[in-house]
Amino acid sequence: MSDSDTSSGGGGGSERVPGRERRRFPGISSRAYEHPADRSALVALRKLTGFDTVFKALSGLLPERSLRLLYLSDSVRVSDRQFAHLNDMLRDACYILDLDKVPAMYVTQDPRPNAMCIGMDEPIIVMTTGLVELLDEEEMRAVVGHEVGHALSGHSVYRTILLFLTNLALKVAWIPLGNVAVMAVVTALREWFRKSELSADRAGLLVGQDLRASMRGLMKLAGGHHLHEMNVDAFLEQAEEYEAGGDLRDSVLKILNMLPRSHPFTTVRAAELKRWAAGRDYQRIMDGHYPRRDEDKNTSVSDSFRESANHYAESVRASKDPLMAFVRDVAGGAGDLGSKLREKFTGGGGAASSDRSQEKSQEKPRGKSHDASQEKSQDPSQPPQGGPEPDLP
């Protein structure tokens, strides 16, 4: 695409687009860039007959009209006359991802850098002034593509529900068990939404087609505008240290730190995006080989769940996290789970385990005779014969 292009994703009229050549993906399905866990959940929801109708009917209580009026009255609507450079990026992103209708975009006064795509019937994109002032043109292009990816995937509906339920949880906190019930749903939605952020990061890369700009944007979200003080390789090393460092206590703390968040940690997002960009899936999309939207109706739910399960199994195998290593040991048939847990949490227990092994080796059998299967069951590295198998994750 070049400056001479005038095609638009649905906005009509002439379009100012960047001079740098970018590939366009006609008819691309959101399945092309969606994270496996995100994709399987969305495919399952879409396959439920009447789900969207019922869901939107129940969601009629949500103040969507109030949200739209709020941004219309107290924010700046992006157009050819206001934040024109953002309008160009928005139309360009919709053109590249072949989104038929260009969503409305607003810039709202807030020093915290943030952006979101919300709305039940029609998505709207909201950018804060903190984000607009923080990022350069190419970094902002990736963020705009990120939000358009949310719109194409249909994430805005569930994002709106999440915002509503989060506010509701605060209002019913005084009701016994009321907050617990709402927060159970909120926690599940947050887990899905964190995966959807990884999907949208991929969409941002497909729109910007500049991995370095995507990396810079994530670094700025973590460390501010002092880009000259930061280094991409060192930033990615933080992600590796975070994923591999510590013991089981750190693994539990990671989970607890993540639960209240709607977004994954920025170092983790950067590492995930770089891995995807280096893989063949991204290259196949760039070469024009990707799922089409008109094939979505033929998508198999079971295939998507199978792909998601395979992804998680591979993640467990490849993970350097101590908790995941422990899960692998359990799945592989580790023997004394109590000793292993004590060892993982305390970092010791080796001498005590050795003493217990020596004591067991010195014990004399009380029975008159033992067959081969009984002797094998006494091996501390094997589970007792007839006893319960270790639970698989």
Side-chain angles (χ1 to χ4, degrees), residues 134-332:
L134 178 65
L135 304 181
D136 67 24
E137 181 178 350
E138 292 302 309
E139 296 157 6
M140 179 58 73
R141 192 181 304 282
V143 170
V144 172
H146 175 112
E147 299 305 326
V148 171
H150 275 311
L152 181 58
S153 292
H155 293 163
S156 61
V157 173
Y158 313 106
R159 173 61 165 162
T160 307
I161 295 291
L162 178 58
L163 286 174
F164 173 75
L165 290 178
T166 303
N167 292 331
L168 180 62
L170 298 175
K171 294 177 181 178
V172 301
W174 61 275
I175 302 175
L177 299 181
N179 186 50
V180 175
V182 175
M183 285 308 297
V185 180
V186 169
T187 300
L189 274 171
R190 280 177 177 161
E191 171 61 18
W192 161 77
F193 193 75
R194 285 190 290 269
K195 297 297 186 293
S196 77
E197 284 297 298
L198 300 178
S199 299
D201 284 343
R202 297 174 177 183
L205 179 59
L206 290 177
V207 168
Q209 299 174 23
D210 185 345
L211 181 61
R212 292 174 299 176
S214 295
M215 293 289 110
R216 292 199 310 268
L218 290 169
M219 287 172 61
K220 285 184 175 180
L221 289 177
H225 61 82
H226 305 286
L227 196 60
H228 62 286
E229 298 285 355
M230 294 182 277
N231 179 275
V232 172
D233 292 333
F235 190 65
L236 292 172
E237 287 170 8
Q238 289 180 225
E240 185 174 352
E241 182 178 343
Y242 171 80
E243 292 175 349
D247 54 23
L248 275 178
R249 290 168 294 185
D250 294 308
S251 298
V252 173
L253 290 174
K254 291 175 188 177
I255 295 173
L256 295 177
N257 288 339
M258 180 62 71
L259 284 178
R261 295 176 60 93
S262 61
H263 289 59
F265 295 116
T266 49
T267 56
V268 176
R269 290 172 65 182
E272 283 276 354
L273 185 60
K274 186 177 181 184
R275 277 194 290 267
W276 186 70
R280 68 186 292 266
D281 288 344
Y282 174 70
Q283 191 55 54
R284 281 182 57 81
I285 295 174
M286 297 303 293
D287 291 340
H289 306 293
Y290 51 81
R292 260 59 176 184
R293 227 166 290 166
D294 55 11
E295 302 168 352
D296 285 350
K297 60 182 179 296
N298 300 321
T299 302
S300 168
V301 179
S302 59
D303 288 345
S304 294
F305 277 123
R306 191 180 304 113
E307 183 177 352
S308 181
N310 291 339
H311 169 81
Y312 275 119
E314 179 60 31
S315 297
V316 171
R317 283 193 294 268
S319 176
K320 299 177 182 178
D321 185 271
L323 180 59
M324 293 298 101
F326 176 71
V327 169
R328 288 196 298 269
D329 288 345
V330 173

Side-chain angles (χ1 to χ4, degrees), residues 17-242:
V17 295
R20 182 165 69 84
E21 289 287 335
R22 287 184 177 82
R23 290 179 177 84
R24 183 173 181 255
F25 309 104
I28 188 172
S29 168
S30 58
R31 291 181 292 116
Y33 58 81
E34 283 168 351
H35 187 278
D38 171 23
R39 188 188 314 158
S40 62
L42 286 178
V43 168
L45 288 175
R46 289 166 181 162
K47 282 289 184 178
L48 291 177
T49 304
F51 172 81
D52 287 334
T53 303
V54 173
F55 192 70
K56 288 186 178 182
L58 292 176
S59 304
L61 298 174
L62 298 183
E64 182 182 12
R65 294 178 67 89
S66 176
L67 281 175
R68 291 182 180 276
L69 289 172
L70 176 64
Y71 289 117
L72 187 62
S73 63
D74 205 32
S75 300
V76 176
R77 182 164 57 191
V78 172
S79 67
D80 287 333
R81 296 181 296 168
Q82 300 186 118
F83 289 100
H85 71 292
L86 291 180
N87 189 55
D88 291 342
M89 291 182 191
L90 176 62
R91 293 161 66 88
D92 184 38
C94 292
Y95 178 79
I96 289 176
L97 294 181
D98 199 16
L99 191 64
D100 292 333
K101 188 171 183 180
V102 179
M105 179 187 283
Y106 293 90
V107 175
T108 187
Q109 173 63 33
D110 189 336
R112 295 169 298 181
N114 195 18
M116 60 182 175
C117 181
I118 57 175
M120 300 296 295
D121 297 318
E122 294 183 3
I124 61 173
I125 296 173
V126 181
M127 300 269 185
T128 66
T129 52
L131 187 67
V132 174
E133 293 165 2
L134 178 65
L135 304 181
D136 67 24
E137 181 178 350
E138 292 302 309
E139 296 157 6
M140 179 58 73
R141 192 181 304 282
V143 170
V144 172
H146 175 112
E147 299 305 326
V148 171
H150 275 311
L152 181 58
S153 292
H155 293 163
S156 61
V157 173
Y158 313 106
R159 173 61 165 162
T160 307
I161 295 291
L162 178 58
L163 286 174
F164 173 75
L165 290 178
T166 303
N167 292 331
L168 180 62
L170 298 175
K171 294 177 181 178
V172 301
W174 61 275
I175 302 175
L177 299 181
N179 186 50
V180 175
V182 175
M183 285 308 297
V185 180
V186 169
T187 300
L189 274 171
R190 280 177 177 161
E191 171 61 18
W192 161 77
F193 193 75
R194 285 190 290 269
K195 297 297 186 293
S196 77
E197 284 297 298
L198 300 178
S199 299
D201 284 343
R202 297 174 177 183
L205 179 59
L206 290 177
V207 168
Q209 299 174 23
D210 185 345
L211 181 61
R212 292 174 299 176
S214 295
M215 293 289 110
R216 292 199 310 268
L218 290 169
M219 287 172 61
K220 285 184 175 180
L221 289 177
H225 61 82
H226 305 286
L227 196 60
H228 62 286
E229 298 285 355
M230 294 182 277
N231 179 275
V232 172
D233 292 333
F235 190 65
L236 292 172
E237 287 170 8
Q238 289 180 225
E240 185 174 352
E241 182 178 343
Y242 171 80

